[in-house]
Amino acid sequence: ILLICVVSFMIIEGCIISQMHAKADENLDYIIVLGAQVRADGPSKVLKYRLNTAIDYLEKNPETICIVSGGQGYNEPCTDYMEAAGIEKDRLILEDKSKTTEQNIKYSKKYMKDGASVGIITNDFHMFRAMQITKGEGLKLAKAIAAGSNPLYLPNNMLREYLAEWKYLIRSIL
């Protein structure tokens, strides 16, 4: 049993690492920023990595529309954060109903035109599972755009993703 655990850990962590530096094509029609914690004073550090990656992408791709996903409600500070960075309000769509990664994708799809190209932005440690979920939600051609993360928390985040991947795999089977 220990050998199975060690081997599965190495395989899953290898898959996670393989997606940690993913960069999508230019000129995608949409990018979806997956939600993360928002504090009273604004986006969490994890979410800021995602939003800053989106801002960089949008600055280089002026035709791309950004869907900021996550169920915080009206006047979401995330869109304010992006507007303060110079992103035009008409390029930002707020999806404010979702609470999970699955819902982030499912509900964000409703804002996209059929056949549109799309990139998914999340932190590097979360990208592998996020892309599995994205493909499971029908966005088979979605591209990954990995945002960074705090290296101090990476070991913890990698362990959490290993466990989350098992949960995802078990739920997929059942």
Side-chain angles (χ1 to χ4, degrees):
I1 292 174
L2 180 61
L3 182 61
I4 291 171
C5 289
V6 169
V7 171
S8 74
F9 183 81
M10 291 184 347
I11 291 170
I12 291 172
E13 290 301 322
C15 291
I16 292 169
I17 290 168
S18 75
Q19 291 289 311
M20 290 182 78
H21 301 287
K23 299 292 177 208
D25 305 334
E26 294 184 6
N27 300 315
L28 295 171
D29 297 318
Y30 296 91
I31 55 174
I32 299 172
V33 179
L34 300 183
Q37 184 179 28
V38 177
R39 303 179 192 282
D41 62 343
S44 64
K45 289 182 181 182
V46 168
L47 185 54
K48 282 184 181 179
Y49 277 104
R50 297 175 189 189
L51 295 173
N52 289 336
T53 299
I55 290 165
D56 289 344
Y57 188 90
L58 293 168
E59 286 173 346
K60 294 173 187 165
N61 300 280
E63 301 299 316
T64 302
I65 302 296
C66 179
I67 302 170
V68 182
S69 185
Q72 296 298 316
Y74 183 72
N75 273 342
E76 176 72 35
C78 298
T79 53
D80 295 343
Y81 181 88
M82 294 182 77
E83 286 180 53
I87 304 301
E88 301 87 3
K89 189 174 189 164
D90 64 342
R91 295 179 66 200
L92 300 172
I93 299 171
L94 175 62
E95 182 286 302
D96 64 354
K97 304 281 186 264
S98 61
K99 305 277 188 221
T100 66
T101 303
E102 289 91 345
Q103 291 175 353
N104 288 158
I105 303 301
K106 182 178 185 177
Y107 299 160
S108 294
K109 282 178 19 180
K110 295 177 182 179
Y111 294 101
M112 297 173 18
K113 296 176 184 172
D114 288 337
S117 59
V118 61
I120 305 298
I121 296 180
T122 191
N123 300 93
D124 49 11
F125 60 85
H126 184 237
M127 185 55 70
F128 175 69
R129 188 167 53 90
M131 292 308 293
Q132 286 179 300
I133 293 167
T134 299
K135 291 179 185 347
E137 289 294 329
L139 294 176
K140 306 240 184 267
L141 299 178
K143 305 295 183 186
I145 306 172
S149 62
N150 187 330
L152 292 175
Y153 300 120
L154 195 55
N156 179 62
N157 290 331
M158 296 289 284
L159 178 59
R160 287 180 55 219
E161 277 301 306
Y162 168 75
L163 298 171
E165 178 66 17
W166 269 112
K167 180 181 175 184
Y168 172 77
L169 291 171
I170 290 167
R171 282 183 33 213
S172 296
I173 292 168
L174 302 177

